[in-house]
C-alpha cells in the first residue's frame, strides 16, 4: 500500500512519530478498501520547509486527499490546507495535559477562507478520516462506492446480530 511504485491517492501526515499509534486506524481503513496511500512524519513547526516541499509535490504525484494528525497547538492540518486546495482532514491527537482538547480546538477553529475538515479526537477520528477519504474518492469511483455501501451493511448487520440483550 505504501510502495513508491504505485500512485498514492491519500497522504497521511502526522507531526511526530509519537502520533503513529493514534493514526493507525486511518491506515487500516484505507487498507481495507484497497486505497493506495503513503504515510509521512512531517511537522509544521519542526520541519516546515520539508513539509511545504512534500505538499507541493503530492498533488502532482496523484494524491487527492490529505489526512493530517497533530497534537498540542496542532497547526499541521491548517498549514497543509494553506498550501493545497485538495481536501484536508484533520485529526486531533490526544497528548499532554489537555488530552487532545487543545488539538481539537486548534484544528476546528480554522479562520474563514482555508477550511480543514475536523474529526473526533484520537483513534475514532483517525478511522473516520480514513472512511471519509474513501467517501470522497468513491464520489467518482462507482466500484468503491459499492464497496462502501457493502461495508456499512456489514457494520449494521454485526450490530443487529447482537441487538437483543438478555
Ligand atoms: C505535535 O506535537 C505532534 O503532532 C505530536 O502530537 C505532539 C508531540 O510531539 P512529540 O513531542 O511527541 O514529538 O507536533
Amino acid at each position: 500500500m505504501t510502495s513508491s511504485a504505485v500512485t498514492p491517492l491519500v497522504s497521511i501526515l502526522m507531526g511526530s512519530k509519537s502520533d503513529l499509534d493514534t493514526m493507525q486506524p486511518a491506515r487500516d481503513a484505507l487498507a481495507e478498501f484497497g486505497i493506495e496511500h503513503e504515510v509521512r512524519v512531517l511537522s509544521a513547526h519542526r520541519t516546515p520547509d520539508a513539509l511545504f516541499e512534500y505538499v507541493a509535490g503530492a498533488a502532482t504525484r496523484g494524491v487527492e486527499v490529505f489526512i493530517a494528525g497533530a497534537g498540542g497547538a496542532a497547526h499541521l492540518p491548517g498549514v497543509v490546507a494553506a498550501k493545497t486546495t485538495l481536501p484536508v482532514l484533520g485529526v486531533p491527537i490526544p497528548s499532554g495535559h489537555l488530552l487532545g482538547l487543545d488539538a481539537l480546538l486548534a484544528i476546528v477553529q480554522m479562520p474563514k477562507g482555508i477550511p480543514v475538515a475536523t474529526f473526533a479526537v484520537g483513534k475514532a477520528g483517525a478511522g473516520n478520516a480514513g472512511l471519509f477519504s474513501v467517501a470522497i474518492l468513491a464520489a467518482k469511483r462507482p466500484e468503491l462506492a459499492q464497496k462502501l455501501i457493502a461495508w456499512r451493511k456489514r457494520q449494521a448487520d454485526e450490530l443487529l446480530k447482537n441487538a437483543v440483550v438478555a
Side-chain angles (χ1 to χ4, degrees):
M1 273 320 133
T2 52
S3 144
S4 56
V6 292
T7 305
L9 293 175
V10 178
S11 164
I12 301 179
L13 293 169
M14 59 201 83
S16 169
K17 268 198 173 166
S18 65
D19 300 331
L20 262 172
D21 182 51
T22 303
M23 293 303 287
Q24 185 60 39
R27 305 171 75 181
D28 294 342
L30 294 171
E32 193 169 348
F33 283 89
I35 306 286
E36 303 298 345
H37 57 280
E38 63 186 18
V39 182
R40 295 287 184 277
V41 175
L42 288 168
S43 162
H45 54 278
R46 289 171 176 152
T47 62
D49 295 339
L51 176 66
F52 286 5
E53 191 180 332
Y54 172 78
V55 173
T60 333
R61 291 187 295 105
V63 165
E64 295 185 27
V65 180
F66 287 96
I67 298 174
H75 32 237
L76 178 66
V79 168
V80 172
K83 299 297 279 185
T84 180
T85 53
L86 292 171
V88 178
L89 318 184
V91 180
I93 305 283
S95 69
H97 295 290
L98 300 183
L99 308 172
L101 183 59
D102 43 0
L104 173 65
L105 293 177
I107 297 171
V108 83
Q109 283 294 87
M110 277 300 288
K112 182 168 178 273
I114 304 292
V116 169
T118 308
F119 288 80
V121 174
K123 290 189 174 190
N128 273 348
L131 290 171
F132 201 81
S133 304
V134 174
I136 291 171
L137 296 168
K140 292 216 169 128
R141 294 172 176 84
E143 271 181 32
L144 191 54
Q146 287 309 313
K147 272 192 187 177
L148 188 52
I149 290 166
W151 187 92
R152 290 247 185 130
K153 184 173 182 320
R154 283 199 301 279
Q155 179 175 246
D157 289 348
E158 191 59 35
L159 192 150
L160 291 173
K161 260 196 322 200
N162 303 301
V164 178
V165 179

